[in-house]
Amino acid sequence: IALSRSKNFPKLQTIDLTDNDLTQKGFDALAEMKIFNLIRARLSEDGTKLDLSNLRLGDVESKCIAECEDLKDLTHLYLELNSITDVGIGLITASEYMSNLISLSLDRNKIGDAGFIHIVHSENLKNLQVLMVENNGITDEGIEAICESENLSNLLRLYIEENNYTEEGFELLGEAEHLMTLEYPEFDREEEIEEEEEEEEEFDDVEDIEEIEEEEDLGETEYESQ
């Protein structure tokens, strides 16, 4: 554990621990060492972007990400192609160091509905504009959660393909008022509005015609009575 928390080996890539009586606690500590070194190596110079995609990261590493003070200025976090579950993303979304995030990529993890709901309800992710959660086992339950909560009202792009929701569930996204600013996915909102306007115009035209016909009938009646 002491070795794992040392900052003296920032470039360490391989370590041989053959014939050591490591417990799970020790293995977790080594995983923490790995992720902290990766964070230091991959964090952009200005501290705003971090790409940890396709590294087989799990919930232990997620805990380290959540607790890393170096990420306090982070705006873009890429975690796609890992093994993060709802537990791990719950830790990340609860971290105060995530409060500046505007883009979060979690494609092809294992967060499920529970993890997606953590994101939806996180007070630290209110500035989020881009969210990528493709192929994460999200169902209509997750869709309903984001449609009911206004927490992510700044969201502009939501990549949610290859999940387990129904077509009816997906359509709910296009009906949520606080998600009307979504640029992606695209919904046929303008066409629907135009159709409604055309129907209203047609209805107004029918009313005008009926009024004219009534006036003509009234005029004929008055003429006949004279």
Side-chain angles (χ1 to χ4, degrees):
I1 294 174
L3 174 65
S4 70
R5 293 179 179 174
S6 173
K7 295 183 179 180
N8 296 323
F9 308 100
K11 296 182 180 180
L12 184 65
Q13 297 293 320
T14 305
I15 184 170
D16 186 353
L17 294 170
T18 306
D19 295 330
N20 280 281
D21 296 327
L22 285 179
T23 64
Q24 187 59 48
K25 190 174 182 180
F27 283 114
D28 288 349
L30 288 174
E32 291 178 7
M33 180 182 184
K34 172 187 173 183
I35 190 63
F36 280 126
N37 280 350
L38 283 170
I39 289 173
R40 297 186 190 104
R42 296 192 172 208
L43 185 63
S44 62
E45 289 186 7
D46 61 1
T48 62
K49 296 179 178 64
L50 178 62
D51 186 351
L52 296 174
S53 56
N54 199 18
L55 292 170
R56 293 183 290 183
L57 305 183
D59 296 336
V60 172
E61 292 85 357
S62 296
K63 180 176 180 291
C64 298
I65 294 170
E67 295 176 352
C68 186
E69 189 176 354
D70 293 342
L71 304 182
K72 63 182 183 302
D73 296 320
L74 198 65
T75 59
H76 295 69
L77 178 58
Y78 304 96
L79 293 170
E80 61 267 24
L81 292 164
N82 283 300
S83 299
I84 298 170
T85 72
D86 60 298
V87 175
I89 195 58
L91 295 169
I92 291 172
T93 58
S95 172
E96 61 181 323
Y97 304 131
M98 299 294 118
S99 60
N100 292 314
L101 273 188
I102 60 174
S103 180
L104 175 61
S105 177
L106 284 160
D107 291 344
R108 299 183 183 277
N109 277 277
K110 302 175 181 179
I111 67 171
D113 285 325
F116 187 60
I117 291 171
H118 280 313
I119 296 171
V120 168
H121 291 158
S122 173
E123 291 293 318
N124 297 311
L125 298 183
K126 286 188 172 182
N127 294 319
L128 209 59
Q129 296 178 13
V130 179
L131 177 59
M132 307 176 197
V133 286
E134 294 180 357
N135 202 332
N136 266 287
I138 298 168
T139 71
D140 287 359
E141 181 183 352
I143 298 287
E144 289 169 5
I146 194 173
C147 291
E148 292 171 0
S149 172
E150 297 185 10
N151 203 52
L152 296 184
S153 57
N154 289 317
L155 202 62
L156 298 177
R157 305 186 75 82
L158 174 62
Y159 297 89
I160 199 168
E161 290 86 347
E162 298 180 49
N163 279 294
N164 302 331
Y165 51 76
T166 64
E167 185 175 343
E168 291 77 12
F170 180 75
E171 290 300 323
L172 291 175
L173 291 171
E175 299 172 5
E177 290 187 10
H178 61 281
L179 297 177
M180 289 295 175
T181 54
L182 276 180
E183 298 171 358
Y184 187 88
E186 296 180 353
F187 296 96
D188 298 330
R189 294 176 183 135
E190 291 184 3
E191 292 182 7
E192 291 174 1
I193 293 172
E194 288 176 0
E195 288 177 3
E196 289 176 1
E197 289 177 348
E198 287 176 1
E199 289 177 0
E200 288 178 0
E201 288 176 1
E202 289 176 2
F203 181 73
D204 290 339
D205 290 340
V206 170
E207 282 189 330
D208 291 340
I209 292 170
E210 289 177 349
E211 287 177 2
I212 292 170
E213 289 177 347
E214 287 178 1
E215 289 175 359
E216 289 177 350
D217 291 342
L218 182 60
E220 290 176 1
T221 303
E222 289 178 351
Y223 177 77
E224 289 174 358
S225 63
Q226 290 175 357

